[in-house]
Amino acid sequence: MKAGLALIKAWSAPTLSIRHVLLLITAALTLMIAFLAARDLLSNGERLNRAHELRDAIAVSDLLFDATGKISIERDLALSMLQASDAETLESLQEPLSDSRQASDAAIATALDALHRFPGSDLLALQDQLRQRRDEIVAMRPTIDAALSVTASGRDSALASRWEATSTALMTDVENLWLGFVRPFSNDDAVLTQHLRYRHMLRTITDYTGRERSIIGQLLSENVNPSLEQTAELLRGQGMLDQSWRLSRLIADESGLYPAIAAEYNDAESHYATLHDMTREMFYVQGARYRGVYPIGPDLWFELSSQASESLAALRDASRNATRAYLDDMIAKIERTIFLQVLISLLALALCGAGFWLIMARAIRPIDRIVDALTRAVRGEAVDFAGGARRDDEIGKLTTVLDAFQDNLEEVRRTADELDQTARALEEEVVVRRGAEQRTHEQLERLALLHQISRAIGERQDLGSIFKVAVGNVEERLPADFVCVCTYERADNCLKVERHGQASAARAIAMAMTEGALVAIDANGLSRCMSGRLVYESNLTDLPFPFPQRLAEGGLRSLVAAPLQVESQVFGALIVARAQAEAFSSGECEFLRQLSEHVALAAHQAQLNEALQRAYDELRQTQEVATQQERLRALGQMASGIAHDINNALSPIALYTESLLNTEPGLSKVGRGKLEVVQRAIDDAARTIARMNEFYRKRDAALELAPVHTNVLVKQVMDLTQARWRDMPQERGDVVEMRTDLTADIPALLGVESEIREALTNLVFNAIDALPLGGAVTLRTRSTTGPDGSSVDIEVIDNGHGMDEATRSKCLEPFFTTKGERGTGLGLAMVYGMVQRHSAGIEIDSAPGQGTTVRLKFQAATASADQTGAPIARPLKRLRLLIVDDDPILLRSLRDVLAADGHAVTSAAGGAAALEMIDGAGGDARVFDAVITDLGMPGVDGRRVAAAVKQKSETTPVILLTGWGERMRAEEETPPNVDSIVSKPPKLAELRAVLAAHCSANVQTRSA
């Protein structure tokens, strides 16, 4: 009671003294001990209640476990009877089946009744499902009994499977109910959780042991070999049993359960191993077959399996007893803990009461006396702190110290006066140090800003962004009212404003100093800045020069101009101004000087980067040109390899076509027109092959350009491509409309007609390929006049799918195609080669979905050029000619057309035959007026033939007829002993002209 009153008095006091604090601490300790004791008692009480619930829950789980075992026994007995064929087996199992049914029903009912004490929505749902499954089992029992009353052959074969599935589902439901029931209790104690897991392993072992006993018992009773399915089921069960035995032993060791069940465990495991070893060779080997009677009978098997089941039941009971013992021990420990906590709490409360009394008697009352003495001592009274009695405890020591304190009080007061003087001196020193720290802080901020700006401009590579970063940071962070960067224009001796700050835009407009504006340099501060010096004007209103006055009119009063200088050369200035006069400190001026150096260096670096980029771009362009030339060289080498064979194939066609046109006056107009189209096509093909050797080569002076009638050429192209734009699309059911837009009286263009016709043919083919579903192709001609004179334009226009920019930029490159395997990538490349040789122009306009327009621009022919023409060669008199070639078709066609001109023609099929003819002429090659020979022939080539002819007769002309003629003439590679070169396919007029040029003297000599 006294302690409570003292506590209330201490708590209600306006201020807390030491004695009040001691009282409160004592009371707090007492309350804390009482609280902790109550909390521990409540916690242990809850643990005790939970332990009792766990014991009840384990009992219920045992019931569920027993129910699972009883159901397993009923399932296995019923399966064995359904699969048995002899009446003796059925009769021996009938009574155990009835007992197992009653046991399983009783076990399920007992377990369900016990579960009512543990409510829960999940458990209720599982119980309802279990009841439903039990009803299904009960409903199937009469069906099973009926099936057992007939012979094995009369039973429903699917009944055993349905019974196994339904009973197994019932066991699964019981197991799920067991798992759902014990799950909330599994987290209460780790050891108990291991006990529950061990019980689950025992249930699995019991289940698979029952299945194994049923299958083997049936096989032994019927004395039959196991089927593949039965062997697989036994092997699967064996694997599960082996794994379950290992896991159960591991769980028993981890939980400490094994010592309590060691004897029962070893006995059950021994029975399992004995049964398995006894039946391994008979039933656990795929394809095992026994002839005669099994070594063991069904009675012995059921006796041994019953012993194994009894050992499992003993192991199950032993584990149950161990679990109950563990729970009983845990409950006893909790009860002992509660008892000890009650005793400790009472003892602690008694100690707190004793401590409270000691504090009051030995501390609080003496302290009150000392406080009273101190109060009187402060008033100047003489006091005795000991109160007439000296103590040896802490209070006594305190009174001694207080007596000494009273003696030294005066000395302390003198010391206090000295400390006051020292404090005033320190205050003055602090003011000085703060000023220095402020200046240092400002300098560090400027250095940080300089570092930030330097890093920002160092990351940029163009002058605009460098100036923008520098101006923006100075304007915002320094700060300043107007900032700009100017570059020095040496030619005009002025500054050009390159960039000003965003906040300075209004002042820049007012002062006419927007970006791009020019500021004249006079004899004021700007001229000094351009000489490389930092300029600071503290008051602009006092300066009479134009530039300071312009800034003053804009409301600015102070200015700093820092030169942008690299390698002693000033190329600009950084202008910073403020609205107040004398607004810049020396530190800020130094900051701007350093910043200008960084900006100048970054700007110089940007200029160097731009120069380096330009040099790199030029180098890349040079490399691209070199790469393209290398591609063209490779293309020319490849093309020359196939030119000879194609020219050989074209030669007979060209000779016979030209011969028919010249020697058959009775041809119809239609027939002659078709032959002329064939002749043009042959000429175009021959020129194309000739140009393949000089692909992309610039036109030499030897290329003869002649006037070409533009509109006539366009119509010829339409005739040549008619099959592609009319016939072939119609076969697919598509329509390609060919349109023309020809300018009347258009002047002739200057070029090679066959090359232009071939190029236009390729463009028309490309246009048609761009119209897979049909469309329109337009051929347009027009005449234009430009700075370079008159030109003739030919356009090929389609409304197809068009090209994107990437495709358009590559479409003229060799072997580039968008047609897949159908395209060669040479069409537009050859068109471009023709344009280069004619010094013409090509323009391509295209966009996806907008079609494509290809425009060829040629030089217009002059009137004088339009009147030029080549003379027509006339046939010579009769000549004796020797023609040599390894191609029999070409040899025959050449002989025919020359014989038609009246010449005596002798043919030799190859170089070796020609040498024999020359030698057979008696060593006189003058028997022939001329020799026409191929160049490339097996064995003896044209060079050896020419040498043999010249050796016999130096005056006999040798004419080399070859598919490489165009290339050899272009590269001036005329072989020795050859008088003239004629390209394949040969033209009859060209042959006549060559023969006329080289054989007229021989003919005249022979005539004389």
Side-chain angles (χ1 to χ4, degrees):
M1 181 62 71
K2 291 181 179 180
L5 293 175
L7 180 60
I8 294 172
K9 181 179 179 181
W11 187 261
S12 60
T15 57
L16 292 178
S17 61
I18 295 177
R19 60 177 183 172
H20 295 154
V21 172
L22 292 174
L23 289 174
L24 289 176
I25 291 174
T26 305
L29 287 174
T30 305
L31 292 176
M32 182 176 65
I33 292 172
F35 170 76
L36 293 176
R39 186 192 63 180
D40 292 341
L41 288 174
L42 290 175
S43 175
N44 287 317
E46 291 177 358
R47 287 182 58 201
L48 183 61
N49 292 334
R50 189 63 174 174
H52 286 290
E53 290 180 359
L54 282 175
R55 185 165 58 185
D56 296 339
I58 291 299
V60 175
S61 68
D62 290 339
L63 294 176
L64 291 173
F65 189 83
D66 291 340
T68 304
K70 297 296 190 298
I71 296 169
S72 175
I73 294 172
E74 180 184 357
R75 179 197 63 184
D76 297 337
L77 288 172
L79 284 175
S80 299
M81 295 177 70
L82 287 173
Q83 295 168 355
S85 58
D86 58 322
E88 183 179 354
T89 301
L90 293 177
E91 183 178 358
S92 63
L93 296 178
Q94 185 62 47
E95 184 177 353
L97 176 62
S98 300
D99 296 340
S100 65
R101 286 177 177 176
Q102 295 175 3
S104 61
D105 290 344
I108 292 175
T110 303
L112 291 175
D113 292 339
L115 282 172
H116 284 301
R117 289 180 295 167
F118 300 91
S121 58
D122 296 339
L123 293 179
L124 291 177
L126 291 174
Q127 292 178 49
D128 293 339
Q129 183 176 355
L130 179 61
R131 292 188 182 93
Q132 182 180 357
R133 193 76 68 183
R134 182 193 60 187
D135 295 340
E136 294 177 4
I137 290 292
V138 173
M140 287 189 66
R141 288 172 179 171
T143 306
I144 293 174
D145 293 339
L148 295 176
S149 63
V150 299
T151 61
S153 60
R155 298 170 191 162
D156 185 2
S157 59
L159 180 59
S161 299
R162 291 200 307 274
W163 165 252
E164 182 178 11
T166 305
S167 57
T168 302
L170 177 59
M171 293 175 62
T172 302
D173 290 341
V174 174
E175 182 177 359
N176 291 335
L177 180 58
W178 180 78
L179 291 174
F181 172 71
V182 301
R183 187 178 292 113
F185 301 98
S186 61
N187 296 326
D188 291 344
D189 186 80
V191 176
L192 183 62
T193 301
Q194 295 291 75
H195 282 215
L196 293 175
R197 290 181 59 196
Y198 182 79
R199 304 283 285 282
H200 182 62
M201 287 293 102
L202 286 183
R203 195 212 64 78
T204 303
I205 292 171
T206 303
D207 182 25
Y208 279 95
T209 302
R211 295 184 186 182
E212 182 183 72
R213 180 181 61 193
S214 175
I215 295 174
I216 295 176
Q218 175 193 349
L219 295 174
L220 292 174
S221 300
E222 297 177 358
N223 196 28
V224 294
N225 290 316
S227 64
L228 292 178
E229 292 79 5
Q230 289 172 329
T231 304
E233 178 68 20
L234 289 172
L235 289 173
R236 187 162 51 250
Q238 175 193 352
M240 288 299 298
L241 285 171
D242 291 342
Q243 183 178 7
S244 298
W245 278 109
R246 288 195 298 272
L247 288 176
S248 65
R249 176 59 184 270
L250 179 62
I251 293 171
D253 289 337
E254 290 179 352
S255 62
L257 183 63
Y258 182 73
I261 61 171
E264 292 80 359
Y265 181 90
N266 293 331
D267 182 57
E269 188 178 27
S270 174
H271 278 90
Y272 165 74
T274 300
L275 290 177
H276 182 263
D277 293 340
M278 183 182 299
T279 58
R280 176 182 300 170
E281 299 297 332
M282 292 185 289
F283 303 111
Y284 291 94
V285 179
Q286 290 285 356
R289 292 291 182 269
Y290 264 84
R291 295 180 179 179
V293 181
Y294 280 109
I296 61 173
D299 295 336
L300 177 59
W301 167 252
F302 282 114
E303 181 180 354
L304 293 175
S305 60
S306 298
Q307 293 176 1
S309 298
E310 291 174 359
S311 65
L312 277 177
L315 177 60
R316 188 164 57 248
D317 294 338
S319 64
R320 288 178 182 176
N321 294 332
T323 302
R324 293 192 186 100
Y326 176 78
L327 283 173
D328 293 340
D329 182 63
M330 182 173 64
I331 292 172
K333 288 180 180 179
I334 296 173
E335 290 175 346
R336 288 195 298 270
T337 301
I338 292 174
F339 178 75
L340 290 175
Q341 285 178 342
V342 171
L343 291 179
I344 292 171
S345 299
L346 293 176
L347 180 59
L349 290 175
L351 290 175
C352 288
F356 179 79
W357 178 83
L358 288 174
I359 289 172
M360 287 292 294
R362 302 292 293 174
I364 293 179
R365 291 191 182 94
I367 288 174
D368 288 340
R369 287 195 300 269
I370 292 173
V371 170
D372 181 64
L374 283 173
T375 303
R376 289 185 287 112
V378 170
R379 290 198 299 265
E381 298 178 8
V383 295
D384 181 12
F385 289 100
R390 292 292 177 177
R391 296 170 52 177
D392 294 332
D393 57 5
E394 287 78 3
I395 298 298
K397 295 178 181 180
L398 179 60
T399 56
T400 303
V401 171
L402 288 176
D403 289 336
F405 172 76
Q406 186 177 11
D407 296 336
N408 295 328
L409 183 57
E410 186 64 28
E411 184 178 355
V412 171
R413 288 173 180 172
R414 289 192 303 269
T415 305
D417 294 337
E418 295 175 358
L419 288 176
D420 289 339
Q421 295 175 1
T422 304
R424 286 192 295 270
L426 289 175
E427 288 178 357
E428 295 175 358
E429 181 68 20
V430 166
V431 171
V432 175
R433 289 181 178 272
R434 284 180 178 175
E437 289 178 358
Q438 180 66 25
R439 291 190 296 272
T440 303
H441 180 69
E442 292 175 355
Q443 182 66 18
L444 290 176
E445 287 185 345
R446 286 193 291 269
L447 288 176
L449 177 59
L450 178 62
H451 176 69
Q452 180 180 357
I453 297 175
S454 299
R455 286 191 58 185
I457 63 179
E459 295 172 354
R460 286 156 175 78
Q461 301 297 328
D462 61 292
L463 288 176
S465 61
I466 291 173
F467 290 159
K468 181 179 179 181
V469 169
V471 167
N473 279 276
V474 171
E475 184 180 59
E476 179 182 357
R477 304 283 298 279
L478 190 59
D481 298 312
F482 178 78
V483 183
C484 71
V485 174
C486 304
T487 56
Y488 180 41
E489 301 289 336
R490 296 187 181 276
D492 300 327
N493 192 28
C494 63
L495 291 177
K496 179 182 178 181
V497 179
E498 294 290 346
R499 178 75 66 175
H500 58 70
Q502 184 176 1
S504 305
R507 278 195 170 91
I509 295 173
M511 297 183 300
M513 291 185 63
T514 56
E515 294 177 2
L518 299 178
V519 179
I521 298 176
D522 46 21
N524 53 21
L526 290 181
S527 60
R528 287 185 291 140
C529 181
M530 290 300 100
S531 65
R533 288 181 292 174
L534 179 76
V535 176
Y536 171 46
E537 300 292 350
S538 60
N539 195 341
L540 297 177
T541 57
D542 298 338
L543 301 176
F545 303 107
F547 182 65
Q549 290 298 321
R550 179 188 297 186
L551 297 181
E553 292 175 358
L556 302 173
R557 294 294 180 267
S558 55
L559 163 72
V560 175
L564 301 179
Q565 183 176 0
V566 175
E567 297 178 355
S568 303
Q569 186 174 0
V570 179
F571 65 89
L574 173 63
I575 307 297
V576 182
R578 285 175 175 168
Q580 297 83 19
E582 300 180 355
F584 291 94
S585 64
S586 60
E588 290 174 332
C589 291
E590 178 63 20
F591 165 76
L592 292 174
R593 185 190 65 78
Q594 294 177 1
L595 177 61
S596 66
E597 293 177 357
H598 287 276
V599 173
L601 183 61
H604 181 64
Q605 185 69 26
Q607 293 172 349
L608 292 178
N609 286 335
E610 291 178 0
L612 180 61
Q613 185 64 37
R614 287 194 298 270
Y616 173 75
D617 292 340
E618 293 174 0
L619 176 61
R620 182 173 53 81
Q621 292 174 0
T622 304
Q623 289 176 340
E624 289 178 355
V625 171
T627 302
Q628 185 175 11
Q629 292 298 328
E630 182 63 22
R631 289 179 184 172
L632 299 180
R633 185 185 66 79
L635 179 62
Q637 291 177 352
M638 181 187 70
S640 65
I642 62 175
H644 181 269
D645 295 336
I646 298 178
N647 284 329
N648 279 347
L650 289 177
S651 296
I653 306 173
L655 289 172
Y656 281 132
T657 302
E658 189 173 3
S659 177
L660 288 173
L661 289 173
N662 291 339
T663 61
E664 296 293 336
L667 289 173
S668 64
K669 183 177 181 180
V670 174
R672 182 171 293 276
K674 292 181 179 180
L675 284 176
E676 290 174 350
V677 171
V678 172
Q679 188 179 33
R680 284 196 298 271
I682 294 171
D683 291 343
D684 292 348
R687 290 180 180 273
T688 299
I689 296 168
R691 288 195 306 276
M692 290 175 67
N693 292 327
E694 51 185 23
F695 194 78
Y696 274 84
R697 180 182 299 162
K698 295 187 69 71
R699 172 175 58 87
D700 3 308
L703 185 63
E704 297 181 0
L705 302 181
V708 178
H709 296 288
T710 308
N711 291 345
V712 174
L713 180 65
V714 170
K715 293 179 180 177
Q716 291 175 356
V717 171
M718 291 182 62
D719 294 338
L720 285 172
T721 60
Q722 181 175 346
R724 285 290 302 274
W725 60 262
R726 188 183 68 180
D727 300 339
M728 294 175 66
Q730 287 180 356
E731 291 179 2
R732 301 192 304 266
D734 301 325
V735 176
V736 176
E737 182 181 359
M738 181 64 71
R739 303 172 183 172
T740 57
D741 183 7
L742 307 179
T743 301
D745 301 328
I746 189 171
L749 59 88
L750 197 60
V752 179
E753 180 178 351
S754 61
E755 291 192 13
I756 301 173
R757 181 166 53 246
E758 181 188 4
L760 291 175
T761 300
N762 280 329
L763 292 178
V764 170
F765 286 167
N766 283 346
I768 296 171
D769 289 338
L771 303 170
L773 301 178
V777 178
T778 303
L779 298 178
R780 177 187 296 165
T781 61
R782 60 181 179 179
S783 177
T784 58
T785 302
D788 299 332
S790 299
S791 64
V792 176
D793 297 350
I794 304 177
E795 297 179 355
V796 179
I797 307 168
D798 68 76
N799 59 354
H801 47 69
M803 299 181 289
D804 55 21
E805 183 60 26
T807 303
R808 191 192 68 79
S809 63
K810 296 182 179 180
C811 64
L812 297 178
E813 294 182 4
F815 307 112
F816 178 79
T817 179
T818 59
K819 302 176 185 178
E821 296 181 357
R822 297 186 300 108
T824 62
L826 295 176
L828 285 178
M830 297 183 70
V831 172
Y832 183 66
M834 181 277 297
V835 169
Q836 294 290 93
R837 287 190 295 275
H838 284 74
S839 297
I842 181 170
E843 299 175 356
I844 301 177
D845 299 331
S846 183
Q850 303 297 323
T852 302
T853 298
V854 181
R855 186 178 301 104
L856 305 180
K857 303 177 75 68
F858 297 94
Q859 180 183 355
T862 61
S864 59
D866 200 3
Q867 295 173 0
T868 61
I872 301 175
R874 299 294 181 181
L876 296 170
K877 294 181 179 180
R878 178 181 178 85
L879 297 175
R880 291 172 298 170
L881 303 176
L882 172 63
I883 56 176
V884 184
D885 203 301
D886 60 331
D887 187 346
I889 299 177
L890 174 59
L891 196 64
R892 178 180 176 182
S893 61
L894 191 60
R895 184 179 66 242
D896 291 344
V897 297
L898 291 175
D901 278 354
H903 304 302
V905 182
T906 302
S907 61
L915 293 181
E916 292 177 0
M917 290 182 180
I918 294 173
D919 294 338
D924 186 8
R926 288 178 296 177
V927 69
F928 300 111
D929 295 317
V931 177
I932 303 174
T933 178
D934 190 11
L935 175 61
M937 295 179 293
V940 179
D941 62 0
R943 294 182 178 85
R944 293 180 58 184
V945 172
V949 172
K950 291 298 184 180
Q951 185 178 7
K952 301 294 184 181
S953 173
E954 294 183 358
T955 60
T956 301
V958 177
I959 301 170
L960 192 63
L961 181 64
T962 176
W964 298 302
E966 292 290 341
R967 180 178 62 81
M968 295 176 67
R969 281 201 297 265
E971 297 177 1
E972 298 181 356
E973 294 182 358
T974 303
N977 303 316
V978 173
D979 297 286
S980 183
I981 297 176
V982 177
S983 297
K984 292 181 181 180
K987 291 184 178 296
L988 187 56
E990 186 179 3
L991 282 174
R992 289 170 179 169
V994 171
L995 290 173
H998 292 281
C999 298
S1000 50
N1002 293 344
V1003 174
Q1004 292 173 3
T1005 302
R1006 192 177 70 245
S1007 299

